Amino acid sequence: MSDTVFYAIGGGLILLIVWIVVTWNSFVSARNKVEEAWSGIDVQLKRRHDLVPNLVETVKGYAAHERETLTEVTRARGAAMAASDPADVARTEGALTAALGDVRALAEQYPDLQAAANFRGLQSHLAQLEDEIQASRRIYNSNVQTYNTRVQVFPNVLLAGSSFPARAFFVLDSPAERLVPAVSFA
């Protein structure tokens, strides 16, 4: 075997090793960004979950006979807190969002409740949290898209194998969340 062939094979092996190391490290980096983005969603959802009992207690003071709605909010909060993977979290958070929408609709029936400073403050804080959750969800989904593309393109898919499975997007399951809210100035 001539020296030229030996150097060509050796150079090819070195390039292959460098590609493997660089690609593997890019997978790890992308996976870590996805996990960091998920932790951002998790923090916002925890803040939301912590706010719900205060909202329920405030509404109870004004609308004590509306037990069914308040029980549904509490049940949905419990299910959302127990969810773990993105698909399950998205499903349970959708149910919590719908239940909170029922509380907002309920509040419209009680002018004293709408006028209460505590309720208005909680509603304002909840609206701010919803915006932060949406921003966190966009960041997470962007990182998932980058990660999934990186591990699914050829030839990276050969190296990724089962060590780097595709991640699920955090998507809306509830058709109600996809509707444009009605705006009324009456």
Side-chain angles (χ1 to χ4, degrees):
M1 191 184 272
S2 73
D3 288 343
T4 307
V5 172
F6 178 73
Y7 289 131
I9 292 173
L13 284 174
I14 289 173
L15 285 175
L16 179 64
I17 291 170
V18 167
W19 173 79
I20 289 171
V21 169
V22 168
T23 303
W24 189 270
N25 289 342
S26 74
F27 293 165
V28 171
S29 175
R31 180 183 61 198
N32 290 344
K33 282 185 177 184
V34 168
E35 289 171 2
E36 175 193 15
W38 182 253
S39 74
I41 289 175
D42 199 39
V43 165
Q44 299 306 327
L45 293 177
K46 172 141 180 33
R47 290 177 60 202
R48 179 185 189 199
H49 298 160
D50 291 347
L51 183 66
V52 168
N54 295 333
L55 186 64
V56 168
E57 287 303 314
T58 301
V59 173
K60 272 184 188 176
Y62 289 88
H65 61 281
E66 301 285 356
R67 290 267 185 245
E68 185 178 320
T69 301
L70 301 176
T71 300
E72 178 57 27
V73 170
T74 303
R75 188 204 58 74
R77 175 185 178 260
M81 290 177 67
S84 58
D85 64 68
D88 196 29
V89 169
R91 183 182 52 75
T92 58
E93 287 298 329
L96 179 56
T97 297
L100 288 172
D102 291 344
V103 169
R104 288 184 195 104
L106 178 71
E108 291 176 9
Q109 298 173 18
Y110 297 91
D112 291 344
L113 175 59
Q114 284 186 315
N118 189 23
F119 182 75
R120 284 195 325 266
L122 289 169
Q123 285 290 89
S124 173
H125 193 60
L126 186 60
Q128 179 185 1
L129 281 172
E130 296 296 337
D131 289 343
E132 291 173 13
I133 290 168
Q134 284 184 359
S136 295
R137 183 169 41 201
R138 281 192 298 274
I139 292 168
Y140 172 78
N141 284 341
S142 174
N143 285 323
V144 166
Q145 187 273 332
T146 300
Y147 169 82
N148 285 348
T149 300
R150 187 164 288 155
V151 299
Q152 293 173 344
V153 297
F154 185 82
N156 294 1
V157 68
L158 300 174
L159 184 59
S162 62
S163 298
F164 295 94
R167 296 293 180 102
F169 289 99
F170 188 25
V171 295
L172 300 177
D173 280 342
S174 169
E177 288 184 350
R178 297 181 191 280
L179 297 176
V180 176
V183 177
S184 172
F185 294 105

